[in-house]
């Protein structure tokens, strides 16, 4: 069976994507810093869970050792983690900014590096990154998030140009708006003003299923009422 790895799993987009991949016949590895919260989803999707702080190289190596032990071809890898630090530029703590960049961008590099090694050997695979509108335009009082998401987008674009000719599909998904989840829903008088995680997951599946003669390296998703 093909294998899919999702890094940074929560109860919103990642959970929706895990369910849909499982329905498509994928074996799953679900990674998060806290795996206890994944127990119900893992049971539902028959997934393997792995504790991983994606910003730590040794933990990413251990994660992929778990992937390798399953002895299935790694067909899909999705990177979701990000970290926000808000506030006036002159008041930001350097250590907080560095941590945000590590989670949002450096961790993406670490995971993508390991995934690409395996997919290049197989000659196929899909690596997807969850981006944000902050990776296209920087907002006031949100410099660290913009820095991380701009770096993530640059990583994805560079990887696509390098890896597409070698058979590995790389995609970057710009999420422009808030994603609905069990703890965050839109007002009753503003239906569909937030992104439905199931709809976003469906867009990821469409990327995964694209034929190589028409690969997209980037798509943007936003609710119908979102300004851009």
């Amino acid at each position: 069976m093909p294998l899919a790895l999702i890094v940074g799993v929560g109860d919103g987009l990642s959970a929706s994507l895990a369910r849909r991949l499982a329905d498509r016949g994928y074996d799953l590895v679900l990674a998060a810093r806290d795996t206890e919260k994944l127990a119900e989803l893992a049971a539902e999707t028959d997934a393997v869970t792995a504790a991983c702080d994606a910003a730590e190289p040794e933990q990413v190596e251990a994660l992929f050792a778990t992937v390798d032990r399953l002895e299935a071809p790694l067909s899909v890898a999705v990177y979701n983690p990000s970290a926000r630090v808000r506030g006036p530029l002159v008041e930001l703590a350097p250590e907080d900014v560095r941590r945000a960049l590590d989670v949002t961008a450096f961790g993406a590099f670490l995971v993508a590096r390991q995934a690409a090694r395996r997919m290049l050997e197989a000659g196929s695979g899909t690596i997807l990154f969850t981006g944000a509108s902050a990776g296209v335009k920087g907002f006031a009082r949100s410099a660290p998030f913009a820095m991380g998401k701009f770096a993530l987008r640059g990583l994805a674009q560079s990887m696509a140009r390098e890896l597409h000719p070698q058979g590995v599909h790389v995609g970057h998904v710009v999420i422009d708006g808030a994603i609905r989840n069990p703890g965050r829903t839109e007002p009753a008088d503003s239906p569909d003003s937030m992104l439905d995680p199931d709809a976003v997951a469906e867009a990821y599946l469409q990327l995964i299923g694209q034929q190589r003669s028409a690969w997209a390296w980037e798509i943007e998703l936003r609710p119908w009422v979102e300004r851009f």
Side-chain angles (χ1 to χ4, degrees):
M1 302 295 291
L3 180 64
L5 167 66
I6 305 176
V7 179
V9 178
D11 55 4
L13 167 59
S14 299
S16 290
L17 185 56
R19 295 185 183 101
R20 274 154 180 72
L21 287 168
D23 288 344
R24 297 284 182 94
Y26 283 83
D27 289 334
L28 293 173
V29 176
L30 307 179
R33 283 181 293 179
D34 177 11
T35 57
E36 290 185 7
K37 66 181 182 180
L38 304 181
E40 184 175 341
L41 178 64
E44 179 184 347
T45 59
D46 197 25
V48 173
T49 62
C52 179
D53 182 338
E56 298 296 332
E58 297 82 5
Q59 294 192 36
V60 173
E61 289 184 9
L63 169 61
F64 278 87
T66 298
V67 169
D68 291 340
R69 283 195 293 271
L70 297 178
E71 298 184 348
L74 180 62
S75 298
V76 174
V78 180
Y79 190 85
N80 286 324
S82 62
R84 291 175 181 263
V85 180
R86 299 181 185 275
L89 181 73
V90 297
E91 297 179 9
L92 295 173
E95 59 272 19
D96 293 340
V97 175
R98 177 175 292 172
R99 176 61 183 172
L101 295 177
D102 282 348
V103 172
T104 305
F106 183 58
F109 159 74
L110 294 175
V111 170
R113 174 172 168 265
Q114 295 284 355
R117 284 177 171 174
R118 289 153 177 81
M119 292 178 183
L120 286 171
E121 184 176 348
S124 64
T126 301
I127 302 172
L128 300 179
F129 300 98
T130 300
S133 49
V136 180
K137 54 184 179 181
F139 295 91
R141 300 171 64 94
S142 189
F145 193 53
M147 292 162 67
K149 287 299 187 181
F150 263 81
L152 180 73
R153 187 170 186 255
L155 170 67
Q157 187 177 81
S158 179
M159 285 179 56
R161 288 176 167 152
E162 178 180 347
L163 301 184
H164 279 191
Q166 301 181 72
V168 177
H169 186 193
V170 178
H172 177 252
V173 183
V174 178
I175 304 295
D176 189 5
I179 299 177
R180 185 190 308 146
N181 63 44
R184 180 175 59 181
T185 58
E186 64 267 74
D189 60 354
S190 300
D192 292 330
S193 58
M194 299 176 74
L195 292 106
D196 184 329
D198 290 341
V200 178
E202 190 60 37
Y204 279 59
L205 289 176
Q206 291 168 7
L207 278 172
I208 293 167
Q210 283 183 337
Q211 208 274 341
R212 65 181 181 180
S213 70
W215 272 347
W217 87 269
E218 180 175 74
I219 63 172
E220 289 185 309
L221 302 176
R222 60 179 59 87
W224 64 296
V225 296
E226 188 79 15
R227 295 180 180 180
F228 65 98

